[in-house]
């Protein structure tokens, strides 16, 4: 293996730090995405449970730890935020379908992020191996007389 100088070691250390930061950032994204997916799954479950019930009641959180029991007069008309603060009215079934598609998209994105994490971790392991090899070379150059 070729010799490694101090500048290259410093550069490898910086790469390793950058890889660590990238993994942390991807992990935060993955966690936020999973929270959104779970929230969406809960909405789908709630809409499915409300469908067809006579005089369904839900808890409405009003802040400060307080909630109200609220009767839902029409469970088939749902206000749905489709992004950019645009809200549309859809049927319960249309909303469940839309949210299901969103969850599928989130799962695909989560898979891509997980793959990115894996790729960056592999790059980090490669850099760490290179650094370990360089440190071993430097140590063996410093202790030439320790060969039994």
């Amino acid at each position: 293996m070729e010799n490694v100088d101090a500048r290259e070691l410093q550069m490898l250390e910086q790469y390793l730090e950058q890889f660590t930061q990238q993994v942390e950032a991807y992990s935060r994204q993955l966690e936020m995405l999973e929270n959104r997916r779970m929230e969406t799954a809960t909405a789908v479950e709630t809409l499915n449970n409300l469908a067809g019930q006579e005089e369904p009641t839900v808890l409405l959180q009003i802040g400060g730890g307080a909630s109200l029991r609220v009767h839902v007069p029409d469970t088939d008309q749902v206000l749905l935020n489709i992004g950019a603060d645009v809200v549309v009215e859809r049927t319960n079934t249309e909303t469940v379908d839309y949210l299901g598609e969103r969850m599928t998209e989130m799962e695909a994105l989560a898979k891509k992020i997980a793959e990115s994490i894996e790729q960056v971790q592999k790059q980090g392991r490669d850099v760490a191996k290179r650094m370990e090899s360089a440190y071993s070379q430097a140590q063996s150059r410093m202790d030439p007389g320790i060969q039994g």
Side-chain angles (χ1 to χ4, degrees):
M1 183 164 277
E2 64 196 53
N3 289 336
V4 179
D5 64 15
R7 286 185 307 230
E8 186 175 353
L9 275 176
Q10 185 178 15
M11 185 178 67
L12 290 172
E13 288 173 354
Q14 289 173 349
Y15 284 153
L16 195 56
E17 178 62 27
Q18 288 173 353
F19 292 145
T20 301
Q21 290 173 0
Q22 283 181 325
V23 167
E24 289 171 1
Y26 282 138
S27 296
R28 284 190 300 274
Q29 287 179 341
L30 197 56
E31 184 178 346
M32 288 181 353
L33 193 58
E34 179 59 19
N35 289 340
R36 284 182 44 212
R37 192 194 65 74
M38 288 174 55
E39 194 175 283
T40 303
T42 299
V44 167
E45 182 180 352
T46 300
L47 288 170
N48 285 332
N49 288 337
L50 290 174
Q53 284 188 16
E54 278 189 40
E55 296 187 36
T57 302
V58 297
L59 286 177
L60 172 65
Q61 294 182 2
I62 58 174
S67 299
L68 296 172
R69 285 189 183 92
V70 179
H71 294 284
V72 180
D74 185 2
T75 61
D76 196 44
Q77 296 303 310
V78 180
L79 297 176
L80 176 64
N81 184 335
I82 59 172
D85 292 330
V86 175
V87 177
V88 295
E89 188 170 326
R90 295 287 185 250
T91 66
N92 187 314
T93 302
E94 291 170 335
T95 302
V96 167
D97 291 344
Y98 178 83
L99 293 176
E101 290 171 11
R102 254 194 203 170
M103 286 191 325
T104 300
E105 291 170 4
M106 285 186 256
E107 289 165 357
L109 181 56
K111 183 178 178 182
K112 286 181 182 179
I113 292 172
E115 289 170 356
S116 295
I117 289 172
E118 191 174 307
Q119 180 182 3
V120 171
Q121 286 175 331
K122 181 191 179 309
Q123 291 172 329
R125 285 190 301 270
D126 292 345
V127 168
K129 285 178 187 176
R130 177 74 175 129
M131 287 174 62
E132 186 178 315
S133 173
Y135 283 130
S136 294
Q137 287 176 10
Q139 186 68 31
S140 66
R141 278 183 264 143
M142 292 173 66
D143 298 330
I146 308 181
Q147 298 178 2

